[in-house]
Amino acid sequence: MPDTLRPETLKNRFAQAKVLVVGDVMLDRYWFGDVSRISPEAPVPVAKIEKTEHRAGGAANVARNVAALGGRAVLLSAIGDDEAGDCLNALMAEHGVETVLMRDQNITTTVKLRVVARNQQLIRLDFEDTPTHEVLDGVKNRFRELLAECDTVILSDYGKGGLIHVVSFIEWARQAGKPVLIDPKGDDYAKYTGATLLTPNRAELRQVTGSWKNEADLQEKARALRRNLDLQALLLTRSEEGMTLFRDGEPHYQPTQAREVFDVSGAGDTVIAGMGLAMAAGLDFPEAMRLANAAAGVVVGKLGTAVCSFDELAQSL
C-alpha cells in the first residue's frame, strides 16, 4: 500500500482538509414498520409504523460523508424556513458539518419520505419546490466568500434547481486554483464545462452520450465527452462492475469492493465525498479513486443513505 493510503497518514491529512459542498439538499425521512394485512379500503398493504428516522440526503449526505471520513465539511445550500429545514440543520450539527443554509420563505425543504417494512420500501413520497432566485443569488455571493478557505469544491446536482449558478461556481473555483468535482444530473452537461472531475453513473452517462456497443465504444464516448467539456478526468461508477477513471492515457479500472450489496441509495454521494476529500488531502486521481471505491463498498452494505466512517475505510483499504 502506498504511504499516502496508510491509515495514520490519511487520518492526519483528512483532518487538515476542508471541502466546500454546494447543491441540492434534502431530508430523508424513514418510517419503519411491519405489514400483516391488506387494507379493507383498497388492495394495498397496511404498514403499522414502529420507528421513524431522519437522515441527511443529497448534498447534505455528501457533506455528512466528508465529515464521517474525518474531513472538514462546509455545506452551502438553500432550504425552506420550516420544520424539515430545522431538522436538517440539527442533523448537520450532529454530524460535525459546518452549515451555511439560506432560508427561503417561499419554499418547503425537499423531503423524501420512505415507508419501509421488512427491509423493503413500500412507497416513497416526495415533497419539493425550486428555490427562488433571490435566495440562490445569496448562495452565489456566499460561495465566493467560502471558496477561499476550502481546498476542494463538490457540486452535488440533484436537479432540484439549487445549482443555477453552476457555470459561475466552476469559473471562480478554477480562478482560485481549487479542484471542482461534480455529481451531474440531466442531459445537458455543457454547463459543467471546465470542471476538474465529473462522476456520472452508467445511466447518467448514457443519457448524455447515448448507448455504447462495447468497452472500446464506451472509452471513445468518455474521451469525447472529456474533450468537449475540458475535464481533467471523468469517473464512471458502474455498480457491480466497479468504476472506471478516464483521463489522459489508458483508463484506470477499480473492481467493486462490496461483499454484499444491500442498498445502493446514496453510494454516489459517498464516491464523490471520498474523491473530494482525498484530493483536498493531496492524493492523486487513482489513489482518490481507490479510496472512494473502498468507502462506497462499505456504504452499499448498509440500508438507506448511510456513511462510511474513517475506521471502516481503513479496514476496507
Side-chain angles (χ1 to χ4, degrees), residues 49-283:
I49 304 302
E50 290 153 359
K51 186 178 71 161
T52 62
E53 264 184 39
H54 301 110
R55 299 179 192 173
N61 190 45
V62 176
R64 187 170 78 116
N65 271 275
V66 171
L69 289 168
R72 295 154 68 204
V74 183
L75 176 65
L76 172 63
S77 189
I79 59 171
D81 193 9
D82 52 16
E83 177 272 335
D86 294 340
C87 186
L88 197 54
N89 218 353
L91 276 175
M92 291 292 93
E94 211 177 285
H95 295 304
V97 174
E98 184 186 326
T99 55
V100 183
L101 297 175
M102 317 284 284
R103 299 279 190 164
D104 190 333
Q105 308 280 343
N106 299 299
I107 67 165
T108 58
T109 301
T110 298
V111 173
K112 292 183 180 179
L113 169 60
R114 297 169 177 89
V115 181
V116 181
R118 299 178 189 178
N119 288 335
Q120 294 288 321
Q121 256 192 60
L122 294 183
I123 191 169
R124 192 181 96 183
L125 307 172
D126 289 7
F127 308 83
E128 60 187 55
D129 291 309
T130 304
T132 59
H133 281 272
E134 291 77 16
V135 171
L136 291 175
D137 284 344
V139 169
K140 183 180 177 183
N141 294 335
R142 289 306 303 272
F143 179 89
R144 295 202 85 155
E145 296 167 16
L146 295 165
L147 182 62
E149 61 192 58
C150 294
D151 302 300
T152 58
V153 176
I154 294 176
L155 302 179
S156 182
D157 194 346
Y158 270 77
K160 309 297 181 193
L163 281 174
I164 62 166
H165 297 302
V166 64
V167 174
S168 298
F169 292 160
I170 294 169
E171 187 185 331
W172 294 338
R174 280 185 72 145
Q175 287 169 0
K178 309 289 172 82
V180 56
L181 295 76
I182 304 179
D183 193 353
K185 202 62 152 190
D187 56 7
D188 172 24
Y189 279 19
K191 60 191 173 189
Y192 304 133
T193 299
T196 307
L197 175 76
L198 249 55
T199 62
N201 60 31
R202 286 180 299 195
E204 288 164 344
L205 186 66
R206 197 175 289 117
Q207 199 177 352
V208 175
T209 66
S211 298
W212 45 88
K213 298 187 287 290
N214 49 40
E215 196 65 23
D217 191 25
L218 166 61
Q219 288 183 25
E220 186 45 53
K221 286 179 183 292
R223 286 194 188 101
L225 187 64
R226 263 195 65 222
R227 279 194 309 270
N228 294 341
L229 299 181
D230 188 25
L231 307 172
Q232 280 189 38
L234 179 78
L235 179 65
L236 175 64
T237 57
R238 309 176 69 170
S239 200
E240 73 284 351
E241 294 176 12
M243 48 183 74
T244 308
L245 179 71
F246 298 95
R247 50 183 189 146
D248 292 338
E250 288 300 306
H252 192 89
Y253 294 93
Q254 192 78 50
T256 184
Q257 282 195 244
R259 288 160 193 82
E260 183 182 359
V261 174
F262 197 57
D263 190 340
V264 297
S265 60
D269 296 337
T270 304
V271 168
I272 199 163
M275 289 296 295
L277 180 56
M279 290 172 68
L283 275 66

Side-chain angles (χ1 to χ4, degrees), residues 7-44:
E8 56 278 11
T9 310
L10 270 184
K11 195 161 197 170
N12 291 336
R13 286 194 179 194
F14 280 4
Q16 305 300 316
K18 196 168 188 179
V19 180
L20 174 59
V21 182
V22 189
D24 299 307
V25 298
M26 56 198 74
L27 181 67
D28 287 326
R29 294 195 198 271
Y30 289 87
W31 289 1
F32 296 99
D34 197 16
V35 170
S36 58
R37 64 194 180 99
I38 299 299
S39 170
E41 303 160 3
V44 293

